Amino acid sequence: MTGTQNWSEDTLRLNAICPYYTMFPLDFPLQQLAAKPETTRTLDPFCGRGTTLYAARLAGLPSVGIDINPVAVAIAQAKLAQATSTSVVRLAREILSNGSQHEVPDGEFWQWCYEGETLREVVTLRENLIGLNTPTAATLRAIILGILHGPRNKGLPSYLSNQMPRTYASKPAYAVKFWKARELEPTRISALDVIGRRVDRMLKSSPLSQGGHVYLGDAVETLQRISQKFDLVVTSPPYYGMRTYVSDQWLRSWFLGGPPEVPYNSSGQIARQPNQEAFTRALADVWAATARRCYRGARLAVRFGALPSARTDPEQLMLNSLRQANAGWVVKEVRPAGTSPKQARQAEQFGKAGSAVDEVDVIAELIGSAMTT
Ligand SMILES: C[S@@+](CC[C@H](N)C(=O)[O-])C[C@H]1O[C@@H](n2cnc3c(N)ncnc32)[C@H](O)[C@@H]1O
């Protein structure tokens, strides 16, 4: 038994603190950890919401994650943080009781998305959490990202917004039209109540943190300045042809200090490469930088895919990038992804993009490089 079946549902909950557009199932990194039992520290250079980091925590190991998207980093940080629900609720209460001097964003979208008092609470939490970096603040921040938008439910509310999807934020013009057409006025929702309920569920039975760090930045640049070494790397680069990581998370980006509108520049995103050759080269650079931070014998497990519209064979692209890296990675296994017990495929998370994404798992071993010890 190497997957999530080893843990209770309550222990796994923290991993679902906030959805992120493309996340792989926890079973994938758990299976890789089981396949490399001598692992001491795990790396994910494209960590997204930190699924690999949470798997390492479950396995009792420290880990390091890197991502260029602040939303991903904020969620991943909560996967490593040690906090109690009492401390998270206390922090939220303290922030809210100090009141707000801050201006709320202007415009129809904001008036329709949140009821007035709820919006003031969201703005107060936002302003006070920016730059606050304790484990409790990291957990509160990720909790709020997870409740910022989502469907209106019948019982006690689970989200702060008017009706919205929870996985991605609707574009303002579309959302306003939707709410107006249905006469869906936003209702008063107490941020503290929703935070309290959510954090109790998330932290009820969370495992002890094992330490580690999440870096905000480009994978190659970050790998060049960190000093740790790893024996297991489990990762999933942006799928080829996938370009909406940043704009789909615009409301969560705003909460973290971004502008109150949809940002269309996604600078630094590896998926922004102009063509397949450049994308392959950029991935090769990541595998080379990763090799320099790995011990000889390290295992690299990559889940990769391409959108059908990109007309690319993800297996070939991935194998070419490892070859071009010329860093000592020897491919041991290539198999179709989604052979985990639950058949949970990352592709299913694409929703709008369709589920016919071609995905592959590539496993490689480091046979040696200039810097291995
Ligand atoms: C497929 S997602 C990873 C999802 C992750 N496995 C999870 O379970 O959440 C790929 C991630 O790579 C990040 N990324 C893109 N370009 C990057 C770069 N140059 N350096 C670091 N991360 C990058 C994206 O922001 C995105 O979060």
Side-chain angles (χ1 to χ4, degrees):
M1 299 235 291
T2 55
T4 41
Q5 66 271 51
N6 288 356
W7 284 274
S8 73
E9 264 182 41
D10 281 342
T11 307
L12 301 177
R13 270 195 224 289
L14 180 53
N15 192 48
I17 194 164
C18 177
Y20 187 63
Y21 205 49
T22 55
M23 47 213 184
F24 50 44
L26 200 48
D27 281 308
F28 179 59
L30 284 175
Q31 282 157 5
Q32 301 311 317
L33 282 154
K36 183 87 179 154
E38 65 277 27
T39 299
T40 56
R41 187 181 280 113
T42 307
L43 167 72
D44 187 342
F46 297 105
C47 73
R49 67 165 185 166
T51 314
T52 298
L53 314 189
Y54 200 67
R57 177 171 175 166
L58 287 168
L61 294 172
S63 58
V64 167
I66 306 170
D67 205 288
I68 204 156
N69 184 345
V71 175
V73 170
I75 305 170
Q77 278 170 340
K79 307 294 171 73
L80 295 184
Q82 186 72 49
T84 63
S85 58
T86 315
S87 67
V88 173
V89 172
R90 192 188 305 128
L91 176 60
R93 186 176 291 121
E94 270 168 25
I95 292 175
L96 290 170
S97 64
N98 286 341
S100 173
Q101 317 302 327
H102 309 284
E103 267 182 45
V104 299
D106 225 7
E108 262 196 321
F109 171 81
W110 299 95
Q111 286 162 14
W112 278 85
C113 189
Y114 299 103
E115 181 276 337
E117 188 55 28
T118 306
L119 179 58
R120 267 188 292 282
E121 290 180 348
V122 171
V123 169
T124 306
L125 289 161
R126 174 184 186 265
E127 297 292 337
N128 284 276
L129 281 172
I130 291 171
L132 212 57
N133 286 320
T134 62
T136 300
T139 307
L140 176 57
R141 188 180 293 122
I143 288 275
I144 299 172
L145 290 180
I147 62 174
L148 205 54
H149 53 85
R152 284 159 67 136
N153 41 336
K154 288 217 173 72
L156 291 171
S158 305
Y159 301 96
L160 303 177
S161 72
N162 204 341
Q163 181 75 26
M164 270 240 220
R166 58 189 275 279
T167 44
Y168 67 94
S170 315
K171 304 293 181 293
Y174 172 86
V176 170
K177 214 167 126 194
F178 177 94
W179 293 320
K180 279 186 174 171
R182 290 163 184 77
E183 296 180 7
L184 273 177
E185 298 272 344
T187 53
R188 166 77 182 123
I189 294 164
S190 154
L192 199 57
D193 288 355
V194 184
I195 290 168
R197 283 196 293 277
R198 180 68 68 106
V199 78
D200 272 348
R201 262 169 74 79
M202 292 297 143
L203 301 186
K204 196 171 177 187
S205 192
S206 56
L208 213 59
S209 166
Q210 304 294 326
H213 196 78
V214 186
Y215 294 89
L216 173 64
D218 169 70
V220 173
E221 283 169 18
T222 308
L223 285 165
Q224 280 164 351
R225 66 185 169 84
I226 64 175
S227 56
Q228 294 103 322
K229 296 205 81 173
F230 305 91
D231 21 41
L232 176 65
V233 183
V234 186
T235 198
S236 179
Y239 286 11
Y240 190 66
M242 180 75 208
R243 281 158 190 272
T244 56
Y245 288 108
V246 179
S247 58
D248 277 343
Q249 297 295 335
W250 77 270
L251 201 46
R252 294 189 175 118
S253 301
W254 165 77
F255 186 78
L256 297 174
E261 65 240 340
V262 184
Y264 279 104
N265 79 319
S266 41
S267 61
Q269 280 284 333
I270 217 164
R272 275 295 186 203
Q273 297 298 332
N275 54 45
Q276 198 171 314
E277 288 67 42
F279 188 82
T280 309
R281 184 68 251 162
L283 280 186
D285 291 345
V286 177
W287 311 139
T290 301
R292 288 193 284 275
R293 298 263 45 90
C294 282
Y295 294 109
R296 191 192 306 265
R299 180 181 175 95
L300 168 67
V302 185
R303 178 159 292 185
F304 184 59
L307 298 195
S309 55
R311 297 183 203 292
T312 297
D313 178 354
E315 180 176 329
Q316 281 316 312
L317 199 162
M318 188 54 215
L319 295 177
N320 285 341
S321 73
L322 280 169
R323 212 170 296 128
Q324 278 188 32
N326 194 21
W329 292 114
V330 174
V331 174
K332 293 283 170 186
E333 207 182 323
V334 179
R335 58 165 181 244
T339 45
S340 64
K342 284 184 182 160
Q343 295 291 317
R345 285 166 55 106
Q346 183 166 320
E348 282 162 13
Q349 308 297 337
F350 279 90
K352 293 183 296 183
S355 54
V357 177
D358 210 4
E359 288 178 297
V360 68
D361 289 345
V362 175
I363 313 295
E365 190 182 305
L366 191 66
I367 52 150
S369 79
M371 277 200 47
T372 51
T373 51

